[in-house]
Amino acid sequence: MAVDALDAKILRLLLEQPRTSVREYARLLGVARGTVQARLDRLERDGVITAYSPLLSPAGLGHPVLAFVHIEVTQGHLEEVADALAEVPQIIEAFSTTGGGDLLARVVARDAAHLEDVIQQLISLPGVVRTRTEVALRERVPHRMLPLVEAVGTAAGPR
């Protein structure tokens, strides 16, 4: 699953120009279209590329409030609570964690009152012992992959 310098260049183009064709990527990189396609296929197969989809803004969808909710779960109920979380549309991500809780959910809401309603819904789930919520005030570093791609590509060198 090694990513070399050419893979990193392809991934950079994919991140910066996601609606560009494989043919155009090949032209920009000065390599054959088949080479780019083969690399993309391998990166998908290896799990480096996991999806092709637009990035959507929860705020743009009317949910500007972002909170991180730590959820403590009754022992032995992690899977069923995780399955129940997947049914709540305002939970846009959830992870099993170590530390102060068993799960960490990224929750969006229309406003503070709506966030309270979502949290009350979470508290009422069977297997949830307690929650602790932290509201995000401002995004300081947006979700990004390009710096990591560049670091990995630079470290790998050409293949």
Side-chain angles (χ1 to χ4, degrees), residues 94-116:
F95 301 90
S96 298
T97 62
T98 61
D102 300 300
L103 294 165
L104 175 65
R106 188 170 159 210
V107 179
V108 295
R110 293 185 303 271
D111 53 34
H114 183 226
L115 177 60
E116 181 183 12

Side-chain angles (χ1 to χ4, degrees), residues 7-23:
D7 292 334
K9 289 177 184 176
I10 292 168
L11 292 169
R12 178 186 187 109
L13 284 173
L14 194 61
L15 290 168
E16 291 178 338
Q17 303 175 35
R19 298 182 68 177
T20 302
S21 69
V22 172
R23 181 179 306 231

Side-chain angles (χ1 to χ4, degrees), residues 28-114:
L28 291 169
L29 294 169
V31 299
R33 183 197 145 320
T35 300
V36 173
Q37 188 62 61
R39 296 286 185 118
L40 288 170
D41 291 345
R42 182 181 47 78
L43 291 167
E44 288 175 27
R45 206 173 36 253
D46 290 351
V48 175
I49 298 173
T50 59
Y52 294 93
S53 63
L55 295 176
L56 304 178
S57 164
L61 293 170
H63 288 68
V65 176
L66 170 63
F68 298 93
V69 180
H70 301 265
I71 304 166
E72 189 177 322
V73 177
T74 304
Q75 225 171 3
H77 290 82
L78 189 62
E79 289 301 320
E80 66 189 67
V81 171
D83 290 344
L85 294 180
E87 299 299 317
V88 179
Q90 294 81 16
I91 295 180
I92 57 175
E93 288 183 298
F95 301 90
S96 298
T97 62
T98 61
D102 300 300
L103 294 165
L104 175 65
R106 188 170 159 210
V107 179
V108 295
R110 293 185 303 271
D111 53 34
H114 183 226

